[in-house]
Each structure stands twice: as structure tokens, then as C-alpha cells.
Amino acid sequence: MFNNSPLRLLALAAVLSLAIAVPAAANTKVNVRVEGAKATLFDGAVAATPGSLRANIGSDRAAHLCNSAFNKGFGSVAATPTRALLAASEAPLGDRLLPLGLQWFGSLSDFFLVSAGAEKPSGAMYWSYWVNWKSPNEGGCQFALKPGDQVVWAVTDGSMPLLRLRAAKTMRAGASLTAHVTNAHTGAAVAGALVGGARTNAAGNVKLKLRRAGSKRLVASKTGAIRSNAVKVRIR
């Protein structure tokens, strides 16, 4: 009778719920892409965790939490874009992001990314981030990430469009491949973007002929815009 009591069942449910929730909050798998002014610094999957960061710029060099809930974010404790950036810097090939220059602003309860490796924007340029092609209103420690989120950190002046590239991932050698480039924020077609050595037309499209079997990595770029995601095409 006791083993099947409502109180015991509720207790077991609470334990199971906690066991499921804690790993999800502690280890959130996301993709992080970091775009410097002249090159892509990192692009890969990482396991981001909630935790703290230590400021190394400014008068406050202490460690502060960066887990959304503590930083005036919404919801429970979660991994954040800035913590995901830290995970990227600790991943294989992430050394180009080191050191991360972080300044703590207590009034905002958040860190400001000053630099990543040799990339230290000046003048009107600064580091900003996007999640799933959107620019959140929250700071980098205030946005709660979910598994599978796409995080982009990039150097921008605030007006530069983030390019989004779409193309088939497989094709026959010698056939034509149509790539499409848009402004990720508005969805509008982007003309004049460079993809695989050719420029997009007014509809944001470009046709490419890839003649050799193998694989090809395509990226869209344009002066005054942030580079696109990479599309890896397998050529049969």
C-alpha cells in the first residue's frame, strides 16, 4: 500500500522531472558561428552550459554568473549565447577566439564582448549576436538557449544585414545548382552577393556549375553585410 501511495508517486515524479531537467539545462547542444570582419573564426557544434565568466577588461575583474535567470533574463537557469561563445573558444579549432575580452556592466547585469582573439572592433563597429537568424533584445547572458539553436556572433555596425544562404546539399557533377541569398532579418532577396565566384541577381539567385565530383563549401559574402552560413554540397 505504501509503495503505491499518491505521496510516493508524486515524489518519484518530482525526482524524475529533476533528473531530466538538470542535464538539459546543464548541457545544451547548439551550433555557434563566429564571423570576424574578414574571416569566419569558428563554425561548429558545442555543448553550452550555464555558469559564470570572469571579466578581464575594466575595473571589475570578478567572476559573475551568465545563466539568464541571474542576469535579468526570463525563465529558469539556462545556457546563454555568451556561454556558448566560451564553449566555442574551448572547442577544437576554437583557439582563434582566444582570449575573449569581456567587460562586466553591473547596471545591466551582463557582459560586453570587447574582443575575440585578434578581432577587436573599433569606431562604430562592435560584437553582436543572433539566435536562429533573429537579433534578440536581451544581452548575451540574458537569452536562454534551447537545444538545436543556431547562434551567430559577428562584428557589425548595427545596420549590416546577416546573409542567409540556401542551396541543395547534393547534385550531379556538371549540373546547375541554384543558390539563394536573403537578408536573414527581413527575408528579402540580396542582389550582388558573391557565392562560388558568381554574383546573385536581383532575385537573390545565382546558378553554379560544379563539374568535379567531391564536396564544395559555399558561403555568401557582400561588402557591408555579414557572411552567410556555409552550405556543404556533395557532388556525385
Side-chain angles (χ1 to χ4, degrees), residues 46-70:
V46 303
T49 60
S52 62
L53 294 167
R54 184 174 294 277
N56 53 13
I57 294 174
S59 59
D60 187 338
R61 303 296 179 95
H64 300 276
L65 286 171
C66 181
N67 66 12
S68 183
F70 171 80

Side-chain angles (χ1 to χ4, degrees), residues 23-24 26-32 44-49 79 145-150:
N27 193 329
T28 305
K29 293 183 179 180
V30 299
N31 192 86
V32 176
V46 303
T49 60
L145 294 176
K146 305 182 300 299
D149 279 347
Q150 303 288 312

Side-chain angles (χ1 to χ4, degrees), residues 165 167-171 177 195-197 208-219 230-236:
L165 174 65
K169 294 184 179 179
T170 60
M171 65 173 292
L177 172 76
V195 183
L208 304 172
K209 274 201 171 183
L210 305 178
R211 303 182 184 280
R212 294 184 180 179
S215 63
K216 180 76 172 180
R217 183 177 183 272
L218 298 177
V219 175
V231 175
K232 294 180 181 178
V233 182
R234 183 168 66 87
I235 309 161
R236 303 191 305 269

Side-chain angles (χ1 to χ4, degrees), residues 21-42:
V22 169
N27 193 329
T28 305
K29 293 183 179 180
V30 299
N31 192 86
V32 176
R33 179 160 57 93
V34 184
E35 297 290 351
K38 296 182 178 180
T40 301
L41 304 181
F42 183 87

Side-chain angles (χ1 to χ4, degrees), residues 75-164:
S76 58
V77 170
T80 62
T82 307
R83 285 284 301 180
L85 179 65
L86 174 67
S89 73
E90 295 172 341
L93 304 179
D95 55 315
R96 296 178 70 185
L97 304 177
L98 294 173
L100 293 176
L102 296 169
Q103 186 172 2
W104 173 255
F105 287 87
S107 59
L108 301 175
S109 188
D110 209 336
F111 288 91
F112 179 73
L113 179 62
V114 178
S115 60
E119 290 277 353
K120 186 177 182 180
S122 60
M125 307 298 285
Y126 61 93
W127 282 102
S128 189
Y129 80 92
W130 291 255
V131 177
N132 300 332
W133 305 106
K134 296 180 181 179
S135 180
N137 293 323
E138 298 86 3
C141 287
Q142 298 171 352
F143 188 93
L145 294 176
K146 305 182 300 299
D149 279 347
Q150 303 288 312
V151 182
V152 176
W153 280 92
V155 173
T156 180
D157 63 0
S159 65
M160 299 167 64
L162 173 64
L163 301 182
R164 185 172 186 177

